[in-house]
Amino acid sequence: MTADVDRERPGARPAEGPGGGPGEQPGERPDRGAEEESGGYELFRDDWGIPHLRAADALALARAQGHATALDRAWQLETERHRVLGTSASHLGAEAVDWDRFVRRARIADTARRCFDRLAPETAAWVTAYADGVNEGLAEGAERAPEFAAVGLAPGRWEPWTPLGVWLSTHILFAGFPTKLWREEVARRLGEDRMTLFATDGPGTAGSNGWLLTGARTATGAPLLAGDPHRFIEDPGVYQQIRLACPEFDVVGLAVPGIPGIAHFGHTGHVAWAITNAMADYQDLYRERLRRTPDGGVEALGPDGWYRAHAHTETIEVAGAAPEQVEVIETDRGPVIIGGAPGAGETISLRYPPRVTGELGFDALPALLRARTVADVDTALDRWVEPVNVVLAADTAGSTLHRVAGHVPVRPYANRLRVVPAEDPAYAWRDGETVPLPRTEVDGPAGIAVMANERGLAAPLGVEFAPPHRARRIRELLGADTDWTSDAQAAVHTDTLLASSRQLMSLLAWAPALGPAADRLRDRLLRWDRHMDADSTDATLYARLRTDVVHRLAAHPALKGVTGADDPWRSAAYPALFRPWLAAVPRIGYALESLLTVGLLPYEDRLALVAASAEAVAAAADETPPAPWGELHRLSPWQALPDLAPDGVDAQAIRPGVAGDHDCVLSTSSVPGVTDLFARGPAARYVWDLARREDSRWAVPFGASGVPGSAHHRDQTPLWARGALAPVVTDWNLLHRTTPHRTTHCRTEENPAMTAPTEPAASATPALRPAVHEQKVEGFGTVRLVPVDPAADAELLHGWVTEERARFWGMADHTREQVREIYEFVDSLPTHHAYLALRDGVPAALFQTYEPDADPVGECYDVRPGDFGIHLLIAPAEGEGAVKGYTEALLTAFIAYVFSDPAHLRVVVEPDARNEKALARMVRVGFELGPEIKKPEKTARLAFLTRAALGLA
């Protein structure tokens, strides 16, 4: 049990105190001289290792962001740079050749250069500063990252245009243009009328959620903005929690490593914004006709006849194999990405807006950082290009925004559906014209806006959208209350109702002539609540039934043209990179709801198919009872070096089992009919509170650091897996400060809370350390207080704080390394101290002291001169019950120590208000209970013990 005090990790409370203007944010320290004089920056970190950066101006801050990202994510940045250049195979081997070939043929790097050249001068300088910062930090970051040594790679140099290339390569497949290849194959094999048969409305490849609550639906009367982008989950993560502050702005948000600023999800303290994929179609595929010229060049057929196309050859270096040649061809439509050898099979080119216009929308990024109102965000997003997004925004004045942002060209509807002929002028883009982008009002009786990739606001811009289930469920949940808080949003994030199960369950209900086992299966599933909870075995049974139905549909004669040996996935006509879009079984799995509804099979055939599946699943369940869904439904993230992770706990930490499924709000997208594992899911979660930014919340799947072995490499995984969120810390005084950095060199001193000790502990044995206090307690023994040695005592303390009985201490999910780092930080503070209490030489308790006016608790009550705070955690197996009066005996020694200093007039404790045992014990000792106080991690109850109460006045 925890006695007397239970708090989260020291200094964890996020709070903003009174502040000034945009350059003097709440809680900011007044001394800014270091960075102003040096042209450098300051790096702070919170208890999750999240970087908070402060610099003298926006350019220095961009450089700082690049530098800090290089320290934390060097391997990730290098991976992205190679993906832009098409040089990944040079160190990753043959498996990376397909990607390298695609980005070279699509001319990603060349497009990035073009777009950089068209940036506004001030934006170009800002992006350049970021790239300079990356270059300054990469060498040191690479020293920390074991991946470089594993593949024998040295970090390369970032060019000013590299961030634009990272953005392009990250989003080039976002609009799903390979789906047009799938539709072509379906039309050719099953008939033109079946082209959109597998539209799930739409293919289950999008699962992002976002919602906005106006002040009419919140407890504070100010808007809340929340959501979770669902993407392929990568390790390290695709989003980076960060804070960027300078005299012009102070923004927290989710950055994309390799990209300056905060593009998708941000909160400036005045206005917040968030996005989801609009599911718009803005990239086209053209069927080209090419021919070779006598001099070895290439000609293409266009609306005006044959003309000379651009062509050159590049070499792809491949680790462990011979180099490969790739011919890069570009027609007037765009780069050729499929085929290309004149006269040899189908040739297809890709036309995408940045290649055509030379605009990528980066001029919007610095404008977003400076935004103070919804109108500012709206104006900034007028410059957005791709990907095309649905945007929600709200500001502290209560104004809201719901719009689509991006570039959608004007061209025939057929271009959205399929590959079109290059030589036909009817399919050309209208020069300089874009489709008007929809927008709508948020303020209304409902006070709710939702974006979940559904066929909603962006319907005029696309072909296939996500099913409506997530959007409807979010509205249903939000509509049930008008008193929403930031903490309550987790219940929406983690909802597991699978509404898309309705059609299969309906067919199961009416399935004819079931045997006894199948009939029992039916009864069980019809009683199921249809929630894909991690501990549900019914969810697993449903998944088994769904898988069997998918396989039976795939074997049905009606789909023979696209399944089995005829599966387009097997075709050699398309690059292997596009096979995920061409595989029939996943398409059937994602479209199952619609395939079981109308169009494909008569109703009686659907009933018979589901009945056969029920019989098969019931028979298997008798032999192999279903395990809980969370044991099967595990994360399978992408890693550039998947075999590098060490065996054991860390290797398993990236594969947690969780709840949800692809049509749940908790959209952890497995592939029905293929695997229960999932690679797509919430790449981050956020809650932006417009009443108090410090009440905002966030989490990512892994951690702030991309360095294996770092304390913050995996520390958010337990949070993420259970749907919890970490506080957004905004008070600079609650952050861990490192030394200021000059931007003219790359070496930086690490935060003590992030770095292992370089010298061995002076005394690993607590009993041999000098005591700050020693006292014999009659009938109990001798109590000695010795300073905690963070390195030597980490294992001992970790064992204590992670037990269930110590839950009020707030460190139950911490690793040994995290515990060590926390107490190294405490040890660095002149106002906070940690001691081991030894009973006759044996560790018996952890005792901490602090000065309230230097601690977050001091903001919660009127601190008196002479107040002195304490915390106490009793060791396992030695607590109350083992020895009568055990805790009271220890308290006797602790209080005697505190009051041995005449300057200490009153002892202050702040146990969790739910910890009734601790409160009762305080009263028995002589403490007077004070008021309850609200802290981000708990509601605490203050208690005070004065000298007078003990007769010491």
Side-chain angles (χ1 to χ4, degrees), residues 431-732:
D431 289 342
E433 293 189 45
T434 59
V435 176
L437 299 177
R439 62 174 59 228
T440 189
E441 296 296 323
V442 176
D443 296 319
I448 298 170
V450 177
M451 50 182 185
N453 316 118
E454 79 280 17
R455 187 182 294 274
L457 185 64
L461 308 178
V463 176
E464 297 183 6
F465 295 82
H469 307 302
R470 287 184 290 107
R472 289 175 181 170
R473 179 61 173 168
I474 293 169
R475 287 191 182 93
E476 177 187 355
L477 293 169
L478 296 176
D481 198 354
T482 57
D483 199 30
W484 285 100
T485 64
S486 56
D487 285 337
Q489 303 309 300
V492 184
H493 281 130
T494 57
D495 187 78
T496 59
L497 179 68
L498 187 66
S500 62
S501 64
R502 180 189 61 82
Q503 185 60 22
L504 176 52
M505 299 296 281
S506 176
L507 291 170
L508 177 64
W510 294 99
L514 295 182
D519 195 47
R520 289 193 298 273
L521 171 73
R522 172 166 59 188
D523 289 345
R524 179 175 176 179
L525 286 179
L526 291 180
R527 290 194 301 269
W528 172 47
D529 63 5
R530 303 190 189 184
H531 283 264
M532 300 297 285
D533 293 331
D535 60 356
S536 172
T537 55
D538 291 342
T540 302
L541 270 181
Y542 172 79
R544 287 184 181 181
L545 179 66
R546 179 177 62 186
T547 293
D548 195 87
V549 170
V550 169
H551 290 166
R552 290 178 189 275
L553 276 175
H556 197 280
L559 295 180
K560 185 179 184 304
V562 293
T563 58
D566 296 321
D567 194 326
W569 181 85
R570 302 177 185 276
S571 172
Y574 304 114
L577 184 70
F578 302 140
R579 284 181 179 171
W581 285 267
L582 295 167
V585 172
R587 289 279 176 183
I588 295 168
Y590 286 133
L592 185 62
E593 183 182 13
S594 58
L595 293 176
L596 291 178
T597 302
V598 292
L600 181 62
L601 301 178
Y603 180 66
E604 292 75 14
D605 289 0
R606 284 178 265 149
L607 284 175
L609 186 147
V610 172
S613 289
E615 296 286 359
V617 171
D622 285 342
E623 295 183 8
T624 309
W629 178 235
E631 291 186 13
L632 306 174
H633 191 56
R634 292 186 172 275
L635 174 61
S636 181
W638 180 85
Q639 296 172 287
L641 290 176
D643 296 327
L644 189 64
D647 293 334
V649 175
D650 192 61
Q652 293 305 311
I654 63 171
R655 296 177 177 84
V658 301
D661 201 29
H662 68 279
D663 281 331
C664 300
V665 176
L666 180 52
S667 184
T668 47
S669 302
S670 58
V671 185
V674 177
T675 179
D676 292 327
L677 300 175
F678 69 96
R680 297 188 77 261
R685 293 190 181 99
Y686 62 90
V687 180
W688 300 145
D689 194 319
L690 273 302
R692 286 166 45 92
R693 188 169 66 162
E694 65 268 33
D695 289 338
S696 298
R697 302 287 185 264
W698 54 9
V700 293
F702 300 121
S705 174
V707 180
S710 163
H712 302 298
H713 189 215
R714 300 271 187 263
D715 59 339
Q716 292 188 54
T717 301
L719 279 181
W720 178 86
R722 67 177 186 267
L725 299 166
V728 174
V729 181
T730 56
D731 187 340
W732 295 100

Side-chain angles (χ1 to χ4, degrees), residues 174-180 183 277-285 351 353 388 407-418 429 435 458-465:
F174 237 55
F177 68 79
T179 297
K180 298 177 184 183
R183 294 195 202 108
N277 186 352
M279 307 297 286
D281 185 277
Y282 49 90
Q283 301 167 329
D284 285 350
L285 296 178
R351 188 171 181 83
V388 178
H407 180 113
V408 180
V410 176
R411 77 278 202 220
Y413 184 77
N415 291 42
R416 300 185 190 178
L417 286 173
R418 63 192 310 174
W429 290 11
V435 176
L461 308 178
V463 176
E464 297 183 6
F465 295 82

